[in-house]
Amino acid sequence: MTVVTPHPDPVAPAPGVRPAPAARRRISLPGRDLLGVVPFFGFIVLFLAIPTLVVVIGAFTGDGGGFTLDNVSALGTSYILEAFGRSILLSAVTAAIGAVLGGLLAYALVTAKPDGVLRRVVTSASGVLAQFGGVTLAFAFVATIGLSGFVTVFLRDHLGVDIYAHGVWLFELPGLLLVYTYFQVPLMVIVFLPALDGIRPQWREAAESLGGSTWQYWRMVAMPLLAPPFLGSALLLFANAFSAYATAASLVSQGSPIIPLQIRGALTSEVILGQQNLGKAMALGMIVVVALVMWLYAVLQRRSTRWLG
Amino acid sequence: MTGTTSVAAAPGARDGARQGVTVRLESLHRRFGNTSALDGLDLELAPGELVALLGPSGCGKTTALRVLAGLEEADSGRVLVDGEDITNRPVNRRDMGMVFQAYSLFPHLTAQENVEFGLRLRGRPAAARRERAGNMLELVGIGAHADKYPHQLSGGQQQRVALARALAIQPRVLLLDEPLSALDAKVRVQLRDEIRRIQIEVGTTTLFVTHDQEEALAVADRVGVMRGGRLEQLGPPAEIYLRPASAFVADFVGLSNRLPGRVDAGTVEVLGATLPLVEPADAPSDPSVPVTALVRPEAVDVVADPDGSGRVLAASFLGPISRVTVAMPDETLVVAQVSSSRLADFAPGTPVRITLHPSPVALSR
Amino acid sequence: MAGVTRRRARRQRAFRWTIVTLLGIFFLLPLVAMLEFTTRGPNGTYTLETWKLLVDWGQLGETYPDLATGVANSFGQVLLTVALTLLLLVPTVVWVRLRLPRLRRVVEFLCLLPLTIPAIVLVVGLAPVYAWVTYFLGGSALTLTFAYTILVLPYAYRSIDAGLSAINVRTLAEASRSLGASWATVIWRVVLPNIRSAVLSAAFLTVALVLGEFTIASLLNRSNLQVAVNLLGKSSATMSVAVSLTALVLAFVLLMLLSLVGGGRRRTSLKETR
C-alpha cells in the first residue's frame, strides 16, 4: 500500500526515499527591524503625542488638579460660543469663496499646456501664497487697503469714496474675510488641480461620440465625478481657515473675535490661573471640529481617488 | 480564419439593428507640425463590412479613425457616410459607436448605467432603456455583472461593457480604436473572436484599428496596411498575407526570413532555389547587385540529413506548430516552420537540409 | 475648415486668460501696494530709502537689531528643520516600506496627524514640553526646530511617499539585495538618488513653512523672522512691509526653481491626446 500524503507537496520526495532535511526558513525577527523606526516614533511621542495628551487631559483638569467637566461646560459660555460661531462662519464663507474662485482658476490651468509657463507660474505662486505666513499677508493688506493703503487712498482721492466711513472693518471680522480669501484661493488650486488632472479625455470623447453635447457631458459625467474632490477640497479649506492664527493675530489687536485668538488670550493671560485649562478646553474643541472635517475629507478623498486615480 | 467569412448577406440581428451603411474616406490629409499623419488616405467600407487598419505606431491609422469619428479634423478631404457628406458635422451628431483602448467607461456609473448612457441622451424612457441595455449586456456576455462599477471589472469585462455601450445606440458605424491592446494575451484572443461574432450578428459597418497583425488578419473582412499616412495595401487577409504588395507589407505582416540572393530576369536565386518575384519590376536591373528576399517560415522545408549543409541552432515549441532556426554555412539564419510532431528530429546541432517552396517572394528595400 | 475642436480651444483660451487676468490683478494688487508703500516719500514723492537700507545689511542690523536676530534665527531654524526632517523621515519611510509594511498605515496616519492639530492647538500642549526643552537645551529660538519638524511632517511625508511610489522601491531594493548590497547601501546608493526630486521638494516645502511660521514662535516667546517683522510693524511700518515683500518674492523664486528642477518628473496622469 502506497504511503498517502494528506497534502500533496510538489517538493516532497517520493515515498520510500529518505526525506532530506527540510531547508530551515529564517523567520525574520520583527524586533530588529523595529529598531530602525525607534527614533521616529520617539520623536513623535515627545513632540506630538505628549502635547496632544496635555491638551486633552488638561481640558478635563480642574484648578486643583482633579477631573472636572467645568472647562468643557464653560465652552458653552456665550462669548466662547460666539467666538466658535464666528470662526465657523469665517471658515465657511472663505472656504466657499475660495472653492469657487480657486476651482475656476484650477480649471483654467488644466486647459492650458501641462508643462507650459502659465501653469508652472500660477502653481508656484499658489504654493507660496497658500503656505506663507499671516504676518506678511496682514501687512500686505494694510499696505493695500489699510487706512493709508494704496487702494484706500486711490478711492478717496480719485473717486471720493471713503471705505472706512462706517468704521475700520479691516481689523475686524470683515477684514479677516477678505484677507483669508487671499490664501484660500491658492490653496484650492493646489488641492483641486490633481483631481482635475484625473479627468480623462476619453470620457469626454466617449460622451460626445454617444451623442452628448458639452452641457450634457458636464452635467452627467464631469460634475458628478468632480463633486467629491470639490467638496473635499472645500472642507480642507474650511479646516485651514478654522486653524489659522497668524493672520488674525497680526490684524486684530482689540478683542478676540475668533477661537484661535481666544486661545491666545487664555495662554497669555496672567490674571486667572484657571484660564490655562479653559484654553486647553477650547483647544480640544478646535481639535474636535477639525478632526470631524478632516474625517469627512478623507471619506470624500477615497471616492475621488477611486474614480480619478 | 474568420477573416474570410463573407459578409455579402449579414444576418439580421436581434432587436432589429440596422443594416450597415457605406463609409467613404476621401483624400484625407492631416499634418501635425512637420509630420503628415494622413497623406491622401482613400478608403471605402462596404455595408456591414469590418475593415481593419493595420500599421506601426505613427502610421496614421488612429488619426484616420478619429477623423471619421469627428474627434479630429482633417486639413482636407471628405468623410461620407451612407452617401452623406458629414465632414463638418460635430462628433455628437455623427451617430457612431466608439470603443477606446482603455479608460473610457464612466467610473461613477455601473455597467448597466454606462450602457444606458447613450439612450439617456436620446431621451428614451427608462423601461425601454433598461431592456435594451440588458439585451446588449447579454449580447456581449456580461449580463451577470450589470450592477458592477468599472473598477470592479477586469480589463476584458470593461471592454465588453464599452462595446455594449457603443452598440446600444444602434450606430450606423462602429469604431474600434485598438480595443484589445491593453488586455492580457489570452483575453485578447478570446475577446477578438467575440467582437467579430457580435459584429457579424449586428451587421454594423466597422472600422477596427490595431497594430497587432495577427488580430487584424483574424477578425477582418479586409485589411488595410498603412504606412506614413497612406494605404500600402487593402485586401482580404489571405491576400495580404500570401501576396503582399510591397516589401513593407511582407515584412510587417507575419514572420519573414531575410535571405541574401541574386536577381535574374524576374526571379531571385536564394539558397540554391530559383523563386518568382512578387514585384518583378522592383528588382534591380543589375544581376550582380545583392538583394534580400523575404521568405515565410512555412515556405521553408527542413529535413534531418547527415549530408545537409545546415545545422540546427534552436527549436521552439509553439503549440500546434514549432519553429526551427537553422544556421547555414555562410552564417545566414533561416527559420522554418514544422509540425510539432517532428520537433524531436531537430535537436540543436542536428545537420539538416533546407528547401524553399516555389511561391513568389518579395524583396526587401 | 473651421472645426468644433478649434472653436472650443479658442473659447477655452479666452476663458483661461480672463480668469487668470482677473484673479491675477486681485493677487498682484497687494504686492504692488506693498511696493508702493515702501517707496513713499514725503509730500507724495517716491524714494528708495527703505530699500537701500534693506540691502545694506550691516546698517540694517544696527538700526533694527531685533530684525537681524529674527532673520538669523529663521535662517538657523530652516537649516536645522530641513536636516532633522529629512534625517528623521527619509530613512524611516524607506525602512517601513521595505521591512515593516504593516506599519505603513500607522506611520502615514501619524505623519498626517499634524494636519488635524492646528498650530495654535499644538502650542498649547507644547508649552510644558518646551519647559523641559528649555531646561535641557536652553531657551534659544533654534529649539523650535522640534516643533517645526512636526508641523512640516504631513507635507514632507506626502512628497517623499509619492516619490517612493513612483520608483517602485520594493523592486529596486530586492534587486540590489540580490546583488549583495547591505541595507545601508540600498538606502544610500539606490533609493536616495532616485527620489532626489521628492526630497528636494520636501526640503523646499519645509523652507516655505519655516519661513512663514509665526504661531508657535510667538506663543512660545521666541524670535524668528515673522515674529520680528510683526514687532517691527509697530515701530516702522515701511521696513516691515519691505521685509515682508522681499520674503514673499524670495519664496516664489525658490518655488519656481523647484518646479523647474523637479517639474519634468511630476506624477501627472498620462493624458494622451494624439
Side-chain angles (χ1 to χ4, degrees):
Chain A
M1 179 156 135
T2 46
V3 177
V4 176
T5 40
H7 303 285
D9 185 344
V11 297
V17 177
R18 235 165 71 90
R24 212 152 344 138
R25 242 235 265 120
R26 207 159 27 128
I27 303 163
S28 45
L29 284 167
R32 276 216 351 202
D33 287 337
L34 281 176
L35 269 181
V37 293
V38 161
F40 175 76
F41 278 104
F43 184 79
I44 292 278
V45 164
L46 206 54
F47 290 101
L48 184 60
I50 292 184
T52 315
L53 282 174
V54 165
V55 169
V56 173
I57 295 179
F60 295 105
T61 310
D63 294 350
F67 178 84
T68 170
L69 285 174
D70 284 347
N71 296 317
V72 180
S73 61
L75 287 181
T77 330
S78 63
Y79 77 93
I80 296 185
L81 265 185
E82 276 164 23
F84 264 109
R86 271 185 238 114
S87 271
I88 292 179
L89 179 71
L90 174 65
S91 311
V93 172
T94 53
I97 299 178
V100 170
L101 290 179
L104 284 173
L105 183 57
Y107 176 70
L109 283 189
V110 102
T111 61
K113 255 185 301 185
D115 262 335
V117 176
L118 177 71
R119 179 153 166 168
R120 260 201 290 202
V121 167
V122 176
T123 320
S124 304
S126 300
V128 177
L129 294 176
Q131 198 49 286
F132 216 60
V135 175
T136 315
L137 236 41
F139 285 6
F141 268 84
V142 168
T144 311
I145 206 165
L147 283 166
S148 53
F150 181 62
V151 174
T152 321
V153 168
F154 180 84
L155 287 175
R156 193 172 53 218
D157 291 347
H158 292 120
L159 293 177
V161 174
D162 180 7
I163 55 177
Y164 292 120
H166 302 288
V168 185
W169 49 266
L170 181 63
F171 305 116
E172 292 159 19
L173 198 63
L176 290 183
L177 265 165
L178 178 64
V179 182
Y180 274 34
T181 311
Y182 199 82
F183 61 68
Q184 292 284 61
V185 172
L187 183 64
M188 181 67 177
V189 171
I190 295 178
V191 177
F192 191 53
L193 206 53
L196 281 176
D197 277 335
I199 297 277
R200 302 193 183 273
Q202 286 91 336
W203 294 335
R204 180 171 209 154
E205 292 178 346
E208 292 188 325
S209 77
L210 288 165
S213 66
T214 306
W215 167 239
Q216 280 170 319
Y217 160 71
W218 276 100
R219 185 169 57 90
M220 295 164 70
V221 179
M223 291 213 278
L225 282 173
L226 287 174
F230 183 82
L231 282 171
S233 306
L235 283 173
L236 203 62
L237 258 59
F238 180 93
N240 188 48
F242 194 77
S243 317
Y245 168 78
T247 317
S250 270
L251 273 178
V252 178
S253 44
Q254 282 165 321
S256 307
I258 56 175
I259 277 294
L261 294 180
Q262 287 285 346
I263 294 182
R264 168 178 71 173
L267 274 184
T268 56
S269 141
E270 292 134 348
V271 181
I272 311 161
L273 196 61
Q275 282 282 352
Q276 291 278 342
N277 288 334
L278 182 61
K280 294 192 180 106
M282 287 193 273
L284 181 62
M286 277 192 78
I287 295 184
V288 167
V289 173
V290 179
L292 180 67
V293 171
M294 292 304 286
W295 174 76
L296 279 169
Y297 168 73
V299 167
L300 285 169
Q301 264 301 88
R302 237 176 298 147
R303 169 122 357 141
S304 87
T305 37
R306 203 196 307 152
W307 290 347
L308 299 173
Chain B
M1 267 200 305
T2 46
T4 51
T5 308
S6 156
V7 287
R14 294 189 260 179
D15 291 297
R18 282 182 253 191
Q19 286 291 352
V21 298
T22 39
V23 174
R24 237 169 99 80
L25 301 177
E26 225 176 66
S27 297
L28 292 180
H29 285 267
R30 176 87 166 105
R31 288 187 75 87
F32 287 114
N34 280 339
T35 32
S36 267
L38 293 176
D39 195 15
L41 178 69
D42 281 287
L43 179 62
E44 181 161 341
L45 288 83
E49 185 180 29
L50 192 159
V51 169
L53 280 185
L54 174 66
S57 43
C59 70
K61 56 192 192 296
T62 301
T63 312
L65 183 124
R66 287 170 69 84
V67 166
L68 177 54
L71 293 170
E72 277 179 40
E73 280 138 15
D75 299 327
S76 67
R78 297 201 301 163
V79 176
L80 298 108
V81 171
D82 206 9
E84 255 184 289
D85 186 342
I86 62 161
T87 321
N88 286 325
R89 203 180 288 185
V91 52
N92 54 357
R93 292 202 291 125
R94 289 200 182 196
D95 200 17
M96 298 187 184
M98 188 154 172
V99 178
F100 298 79
Q101 187 174 345
Y103 302 130
S104 67
L105 293 183
F106 305 125
H108 62 302
L109 302 176
T110 60
Q112 171 105 7
E113 288 165 343
N114 260 285
V115 176
E116 284 186 23
F117 190 82
L119 302 166
R120 249 173 86 194
L121 290 173
R122 284 160 175 74
R124 301 283 161 79
R129 278 197 325 244
R130 251 195 307 269
E131 192 194 334
R132 174 135 184 99
N135 287 340
M136 284 293 109
L137 288 168
E138 288 292 339
L139 178 67
V140 299
I142 203 174
H145 302 280
D147 290 322
K148 295 235 176 89
Y149 285 91
H151 72 270
Q152 296 170 303
L153 300 171
S154 71
Q157 290 169 326
Q158 286 182 31
Q159 291 300 70
R160 287 172 195 261
V161 177
L163 183 61
R165 181 177 70 179
L167 290 173
I169 56 171
Q170 292 171 281
R172 296 192 297 171
V173 185
L174 182 62
L175 304 170
L176 300 153
D177 186 3
E178 306 212 41
L180 308 174
S181 300
L183 305 174
D184 294 337
K186 192 146 187 220
V187 178
R188 228 185 293 175
V189 174
Q190 190 185 7
L191 205 47
R192 81 176 178 219
D193 291 340
E194 290 216 31
I195 290 179
R196 177 55 165 165
R197 166 186 69 80
I198 293 167
Q199 185 266 338
I200 292 179
E201 189 170 336
V202 176
T204 316
T205 312
T206 306
L207 187 63
F208 187 113
V209 164
T210 177
H211 63 267
D212 183 337
Q213 42 100 15
E214 192 189 306
E215 201 169 277
L217 296 178
V219 304
D221 292 308
R222 281 190 300 159
V223 175
V225 181
M226 280 186 73
R227 179 162 78 136
R230 34 180 56 230
L231 275 176
E232 289 259 322
Q233 186 176 2
L234 178 65
E239 187 183 301
I240 301 282
Y241 186 80
L242 296 172
R243 281 190 298 284
S246 74
F248 172 76
V249 176
D251 208 8
F252 191 80
V253 179
L255 201 62
S256 279
N257 282 298
R258 310 175 84 88
L259 302 176
R262 286 273 144 91
V263 187
D264 183 27
T267 62
V268 59
E269 200 186 303
V270 183
L271 290 182
T274 308
L275 305 174
L277 283 172
V278 168
E279 291 169 75
D282 273 347
S285 40
D286 186 354
S288 61
V289 172
V291 295
T292 307
L294 300 171
V295 181
R296 298 245 185 252
E298 57 271 24
V300 179
D301 269 338
V302 56
V303 171
D305 183 351
D307 298 323
S309 50
R311 214 148 282 273
V312 174
L313 209 55
S316 326
F317 175 73
L318 297 173
I321 54 124
S322 296
R323 291 219 182 98
V324 179
T325 310
V326 175
M328 302 306 289
D330 62 351
E331 305 290 307
T332 325
L333 291 181
V334 184
V335 177
Q337 183 172 301
V338 300
S339 152
S340 293
S341 53
R342 293 175 55 205
L343 190 58
D345 297 347
F346 300 109
T350 314
V352 293
R353 181 168 36 97
I354 296 278
T355 29
L356 302 179
H357 293 188
S359 36
V361 296
L363 293 179
S364 168
R365 264 177 237 163
Chain C
M1 220 177 292
V4 179
T5 26
R6 291 185 200 153
R7 242 180 295 140
R8 181 182 304 155
R10 263 204 303 270
R11 244 180 297 156
Q12 278 180 344
R13 209 176 333 141
F15 171 79
R16 186 159 66 234
W17 285 105
T18 314
I19 288 274
V20 170
T21 312
L22 285 175
L23 286 174
I25 295 179
F26 175 64
F27 284 100
L28 283 176
L29 199 59
L31 301 177
V32 168
M34 285 209 277
L35 192 61
E36 192 266 351
F37 193 86
T38 54
T39 52
R40 280 191 195 162
N43 297 335
T45 56
Y46 285 101
T47 164
L48 286 172
E49 279 297 324
T50 319
W51 290 101
K52 277 190 244 163
L53 181 56
L54 184 61
V55 293
D56 184 356
W57 289 353
Q59 184 74 337
L60 188 71
E62 282 178 32
T63 329
Y64 303 109
D66 292 328
L67 179 64
T69 322
V71 172
N73 283 341
S74 269
F75 195 61
Q77 285 161 355
V78 165
L79 286 175
L80 286 176
T81 311
V82 171
L84 183 60
T85 307
L86 292 180
L87 269 169
L88 204 59
L89 204 56
V90 176
T92 307
V93 175
V94 175
W95 190 247
V96 164
R97 271 233 189 191
L98 296 178
R99 300 290 286 168
L100 301 163
R102 265 173 300 167
L103 278 185
R104 189 169 157 190
R105 285 265 162 250
V106 176
V107 170
E108 181 168 6
F109 176 74
L110 287 175
C111 284
L112 296 182
L113 201 55
L115 284 177
T116 323
I117 303 181
I120 180 71
V121 166
L122 190 65
V123 77
V124 171
L126 273 177
V129 176
Y130 261 82
W132 284 98
V133 171
T134 316
Y135 180 72
F136 285 114
L137 296 173
S140 150
L142 295 179
T143 55
L144 286 176
T145 306
F146 301 122
Y148 288 174
T149 308
I150 293 286
L151 284 183
V152 96
L153 268 184
Y155 309 98
Y157 173 80
R158 256 204 285 240
S159 181
I160 295 176
D161 191 55
L164 286 176
S165 299
I167 64 162
N168 197 353
V169 62
R170 179 153 279 261
T171 311
L172 282 180
E174 286 174 356
S176 37
R177 291 279 293 168
S178 72
L179 287 167
S182 70
W183 281 114
T185 312
V186 171
I187 293 184
W188 183 249
R189 294 183 65 182
V190 176
V191 177
L192 228 67
N194 281 297
I195 55 170
R196 230 194 323 236
S197 68
V199 169
L200 219 66
S201 163
F204 275 124
L205 289 171
T206 310
V207 170
L209 190 138
V210 172
L211 284 181
E213 210 286 324
F214 172 78
T215 310
I216 297 190
S218 111
L219 288 171
L220 286 181
N221 292 314
R222 284 161 168 81
S223 161
N224 76 354
L225 174 65
Q226 298 286 337
V227 172
V229 169
N230 192 32
L231 210 58
L232 190 61
K234 304 201 170 81
S235 57
S236 166
T238 29
M239 182 51 80
S240 60
V241 173
V243 174
S244 304
L245 183 59
T246 314
L248 247 168
V249 171
L250 275 177
F252 173 71
V253 168
L254 223 61
L255 244 86
M256 269 297 280
L257 283 176
L258 165 71
S259 87
L260 285 172
V261 165
R265 267 170 282 168
R266 274 274 231 104
R267 202 91 224 277
T268 45
S269 54
L270 292 168
K271 283 170 60 162
E272 279 168 321
T273 39
R274 291 160 225 150

